[in-house]
Amino acid sequence: MFYGEAPRHAPVLLSDCIIKADYVNNSPSIIAAGKSRAEILNYACQCISVDPLALRRELATLMPDEALYRSITVDRPHLFSSSAVFVSLAHTHRMAEVIAAVESVCALPAYREHVLAWAPASAAFDPGTPGVFLGYDFHLGPEGPQLIEINTNAGGALLNTVLARTQRACCKEMEDMVVGPVDLEAMEQAFFQMFMQEWNTLHAGRPLRAIAIVDDAPREQYLYPEFLLFQQLFRRQGVECVVADARELRLCNGALRYRDLNIDLVYNRLTDFALSDPAHAALLEAYLHHQVVLTPHPRAHALYADKRNLVALTDADLLGTWRVPATVIATLLAGIPRTRRVEPAHADALWAERKQLFFKPAAGYASKAAYRGDKLTQKVWKDILQGVYVAQALVAPSQRRLRVAEAAVDLKLDLRNYVYAGRIQLLTSRLYQGQTTNFRTPGGGFAPVFCPKAD
């Protein structure tokens, strides 16, 4: 599992130190002890854990014409990494504690009143459901996991379930690992039951007949293969499902329709989180009038994913006025980088501190219009001051060393916890180079998370 001198596949035993493969002169060097087993594995393990034949077979069982396989391997070659990421059990437990702390605060009426004050009008409507697939994204900083943001309609959960099924244990050390915090064999059923819970909360006793997976120009979306996976999942459960362009939805006789099909539930993959685009008017009206179950919905985004919420979650004085327990406040302050509103009155101070900050738009997604402070130009800074931004203390991502095209490459990594109704469903990772995750890095992409049982 650990590679030093040639031949590459000769194992080197792990003890109190690790073997660092020097790919320039092929002379391994010893690195000091004190690292966790997961850190050591991320640095030294060069195993290829994805079995390409297993991936092809898995996708072929879902779509026999291999269109799905080709769309991933040919059109999206960096969607999946060929290896895994290692995270200590202590870090998975710490992420769970931070998530639980956030969930406890988000349930408070005072918190909801506070964050809904800046939310769009559509978020005032409470459909009574939590919304599917919250994504809690972490970096592993020197002080442990740091929650950098929360996303609604977080993509990749079903893709990562397929990916996890194609892992191969290429050595004994790998066999001693477990993947994530849940049983992957039951994952598809758990995802389906999550949608059924959204439906039954509002329509108990009524059959769910038709689901629409909705986005703008869905075939052009990078994660379109996942739309197809969900479509097949719903159909295997006896529910008709279409992948629909939101602009083609219309209201007819009190029902939301896509072509000739009445839609009961919309799996919302739009990034128009408030449904403010006129092209989405039919969907918004159907949602507000209980003519369709929409998940996730504008209120979920307002309560969790607006970046301004992180300001509240890292304000000890404000949390104290809401009588948040001291232990919860301590968990939040230790687990979320300090976040502040960007306001012209504090522009000079923020500019002076910019190299230690990361700037994000309040309603941002997929790292769009987000900037590391040390990369800012004066022009971009003026744009930030005119927008609605937050400044978050910079937490550099940890790294995973892989061998790509016969060279050692250090890839950045982040960790995503998929969460529903406060429960972690799946833990996965994304590997990348550059400022933000991009799915354009050779060797990068989604990667399963392995947790050493003993660290």
Side-chain angles (χ1 to χ4, degrees), residues 155-266:
L158 195 50
L159 284 167
N160 279 284
T161 300
V162 174
L163 179 64
R165 289 174 178 166
T166 68
Q167 300 302 301
R168 61 184 179 191
C170 50
C171 56
K172 184 180 183 300
E173 288 88 346
M174 190 73 79
E175 292 174 352
D176 292 336
M177 311 263 177
V178 294
V179 180
V182 293
D183 178 8
L184 286 169
E185 291 300 318
M187 188 55 61
E188 280 193 358
Q189 186 63 29
F191 289 160
F192 178 71
Q193 290 303 321
M194 172 179 61
F195 284 92
M196 287 302 303
Q197 183 171 331
E198 295 280 294
W199 172 256
N200 288 328
T201 297
L202 300 176
H203 299 292
R206 286 177 51 187
L208 173 59
R209 295 190 175 92
I211 293 175
I213 302 168
V214 169
D215 206 339
D216 289 328
R219 290 179 177 273
E220 299 174 15
Q221 302 300 325
Y222 190 78
L223 293 185
Y224 176 67
E226 184 169 60
F227 300 173
L228 299 179
L229 287 173
F230 271 109
Q231 183 181 43
Q232 295 302 315
L233 169 59
F234 294 138
R235 286 177 173 175
R236 287 196 300 275
Q237 297 291 334
V239 180
E240 178 53 43
C241 180
V242 295
V243 179
D245 190 315
R247 293 164 292 192
E248 295 185 64
L249 299 173
R250 58 191 177 89
L251 284 171
C252 184
N253 298 324
L256 185 69
R257 294 178 69 89
Y258 174 71
R259 298 177 181 173
D260 295 327
L261 182 66
N262 284 354
I263 303 300
D264 296 321
L265 183 148
V266 166

Side-chain angles (χ1 to χ4, degrees), residues 342-343 346-352 354 359 376-386:
V342 174
E343 298 173 333
H346 305 136
D348 291 343
L350 289 171
W351 177 257
R354 68 189 184 282
F359 296 87
L376 282 183
T377 65
Q378 286 284 352
K379 180 180 183 303
V380 171
W381 179 235
K382 289 179 181 178
D383 292 339
I384 288 174
L385 291 175
Q386 293 173 1

Side-chain angles (χ1 to χ4, degrees), residues 80-346:
F80 292 148
S81 175
S82 62
S83 193
V85 163
F86 303 93
V87 178
S88 70
L89 286 175
H91 282 163
T92 67
H93 294 157
R94 186 58 177 170
M95 286 187 285
E97 290 172 353
V98 174
I99 291 168
V102 171
E103 293 280 343
S104 69
V105 173
C106 289
L108 296 176
Y111 167 86
R112 296 189 167 213
E113 180 181 358
H114 182 80
V115 301
L116 289 174
W118 55 60
S122 56
F125 175 68
D126 184 358
T129 57
V132 300
F133 289 127
L134 282 180
Y136 282 76
D137 293 346
F138 288 81
H139 282 175
L140 292 180
E143 305 303 320
Q146 297 285 295
L147 177 65
I148 57 171
E149 63 184 38
I150 307 171
N151 293 289
T152 50
N153 73 7
L158 195 50
L159 284 167
N160 279 284
T161 300
V162 174
L163 179 64
R165 289 174 178 166
T166 68
Q167 300 302 301
R168 61 184 179 191
C170 50
C171 56
K172 184 180 183 300
E173 288 88 346
M174 190 73 79
E175 292 174 352
D176 292 336
M177 311 263 177
V178 294
V179 180
V182 293
D183 178 8
L184 286 169
E185 291 300 318
M187 188 55 61
E188 280 193 358
Q189 186 63 29
F191 289 160
F192 178 71
Q193 290 303 321
M194 172 179 61
F195 284 92
M196 287 302 303
Q197 183 171 331
E198 295 280 294
W199 172 256
N200 288 328
T201 297
L202 300 176
H203 299 292
R206 286 177 51 187
L208 173 59
R209 295 190 175 92
I211 293 175
I213 302 168
V214 169
D215 206 339
D216 289 328
R219 290 179 177 273
E220 299 174 15
Q221 302 300 325
Y222 190 78
L223 293 185
Y224 176 67
E226 184 169 60
F227 300 173
L228 299 179
L229 287 173
F230 271 109
Q231 183 181 43
Q232 295 302 315
L233 169 59
F234 294 138
R235 286 177 173 175
R236 287 196 300 275
Q237 297 291 334
V239 180
E240 178 53 43
C241 180
V242 295
V243 179
D245 190 315
R247 293 164 292 192
E248 295 185 64
L249 299 173
R250 58 191 177 89
L251 284 171
C252 184
N253 298 324
L256 185 69
R257 294 178 69 89
Y258 174 71
R259 298 177 181 173
D260 295 327
L261 182 66
N262 284 354
I263 303 300
D264 296 321
L265 183 148
V266 166
Y267 176 21
N268 177 22
R269 298 293 292 254
L270 290 164
T271 54
D272 173 20
F273 303 113
L275 299 181
S276 59
D277 189 325
H280 305 146
L283 178 57
L284 176 61
E285 184 175 348
Y287 163 64
L288 294 177
H289 290 88
H290 296 285
Q291 294 165 330
V292 73
V293 174
L294 177 69
T295 186
H297 43 69
R299 190 175 181 89
H301 184 272
L303 293 176
Y304 286 94
D306 190 300
K307 305 301 184 291
R308 288 169 289 189
N309 300 0
L310 297 172
V311 177
L313 291 170
T314 56
D315 186 334
D317 293 337
L318 181 61
L319 294 168
T321 65
W322 297 339
R323 298 187 178 180
V324 176
T327 54
V328 173
I329 295 176
T331 297
L332 294 172
L333 297 185
I336 307 176
R338 185 191 176 198
T339 308
R340 291 169 282 172
R341 289 281 296 269
V342 174
E343 298 173 333
H346 305 136

